[in-house]
Amino acid sequence: MNAFLNRELELFLAAVGFFTRIPVPMKAEFSEADLNHAARYFPLVGVLIGVIAALVYTAVSEILPRELAILASMATTIYATGAFHEDGLTDAIDGLGGGWEKEQVLTIMQDSRIGSFGAIGLFLVLLAKYEALVHTFPAVIPAVLIAGHALSRLASVLVITTQPYVKARGKAKPLATQLSKGELAIAAVFGLGPLVLFIPKLLVTLLPVVVVWCWFSYKLKKRLGGYTGDCLGAMQQLCELAFYLGVAAWSFT
């Protein structure tokens, strides 16, 4: 049992080390197989990032206006992840917005420079997330942050399990092997668990996420025949925003 728990802890720390800038107290480098199996804990990393965001929001809102507390929580998550997913979003928007053929799209995505499509897209997504949170019941914002970060990362895991990786090499290549049913179940528990607080309005909060996931998955399948690491980052950001919009709609009605 101890060996099993140690192995699972090692995989979780591998996920933390890969997806965030948070130092991990174990070996500095993980094998490709480790990172592949660590994908089951991607949503749990989301819970961790969401908890950090919730704590920052709660602390800052005690001394500053709620709007500044929301900005502080957003800035903290971007710093904690090294803008890992935001970078993927900008690259994916640049590629899909500026390219026509598959190879052209992939070439644009690999360019480290941010183009007009990516810059505008990132600005609009961040602004929309901020506005959605501003129009959410203040009392539920900490729970919304935790659930949003967890659920959106489950959305990325579902892309891994339903589509092929389309590049020979890349930052998401270690995650490209499909998860087993057991690993997917673990990811689902951590990704969906925080939603228990939203059961009374679960349909309203989840519907935008389902719509965005289906639309963007179709777009990736049609344009690329699969996904890249940038596409996973884009899916996380878009589904996080979709969840916030669903909660904001619940708060508004």
Side-chain angles (χ1 to χ4, degrees):
M1 179 61 72
N2 286 339
F4 171 78
L5 292 177
N6 287 337
R7 175 58 176 166
E8 295 305 307
L9 176 60
E10 187 174 284
L11 291 176
F12 170 63
L13 292 176
V16 173
F18 186 77
F19 291 115
T20 78
R21 301 176 65 173
I22 300 173
V24 293
M26 297 184 69
K27 59 185 182 180
E29 295 184 2
F30 299 92
S31 68
E32 186 169 302
D34 286 337
L35 291 172
N36 173 248
H37 293 298
R40 73 185 79 173
Y41 290 118
F42 191 12
L44 182 55
V45 173
V47 172
L48 174 61
I49 296 299
V51 168
I52 293 172
L55 290 174
V56 170
Y57 168 79
T58 302
V60 176
S61 63
E62 291 294 322
I63 57 176
L64 292 173
R66 180 164 57 99
E67 293 82 359
L68 293 178
I70 291 171
L71 283 176
S73 71
M74 291 175 62
T76 300
T77 60
I78 292 173
Y79 177 78
T81 60
F84 191 67
H85 310 300
E86 289 81 3
D87 178 67
L89 175 68
T90 57
D91 288 342
I93 293 176
D94 273 334
L96 294 170
W100 293 97
E101 302 298 329
K102 173 182 175 179
E103 292 305 319
Q104 186 183 17
V105 172
L106 294 177
T107 299
I108 294 174
M109 284 187 184
Q110 291 175 335
D111 192 333
S112 60
R113 295 169 296 181
I114 298 179
S116 298
F117 284 110
I120 294 170
L122 178 61
F123 171 78
L124 290 176
V125 168
L126 291 176
L127 178 61
K129 285 198 287 187
Y130 168 78
E131 287 291 336
L133 290 170
V134 164
H135 291 87
T136 294
F137 294 128
V140 303
I141 287 179
V144 169
L145 292 170
I146 295 171
H149 281 280
L151 178 63
S152 59
R153 284 161 174 79
L154 175 61
S156 293
V157 171
L158 293 177
V159 174
I160 296 174
T161 62
T162 56
Q163 298 202 40
Y165 190 71
V166 295
K167 293 168 61 179
R169 302 174 61 184
K171 59 186 176 183
K173 182 62 176 177
L175 308 174
T177 302
Q178 292 189 349
L179 280 69
S180 67
K181 291 182 179 179
E183 291 173 322
L184 184 58
I186 292 173
V189 167
F190 291 119
L192 299 175
L195 293 176
V196 68
L197 298 174
F198 300 92
I199 287 177
K201 295 290 184 176
L202 196 59
L203 180 61
V204 176
T205 55
L206 273 184
L207 182 59
V209 180
V210 173
V211 170
V212 167
W213 190 90
C214 291
W215 166 76
F216 195 57
S217 293
Y218 170 77
K219 180 74 68 175
L220 295 179
K221 189 69 174 180
K222 181 179 180 181
R223 297 290 305 279
L224 300 177
Y227 71 92
T228 69
D230 292 325
C231 299
L232 296 181
M235 181 66 85
Q236 185 277 320
Q237 288 287 293
L238 293 174
C239 286
E240 182 187 348
L241 169 59
F243 179 71
Y244 294 163
L245 291 174
V247 175
W250 160 38
S251 300
F252 185 73
T253 56

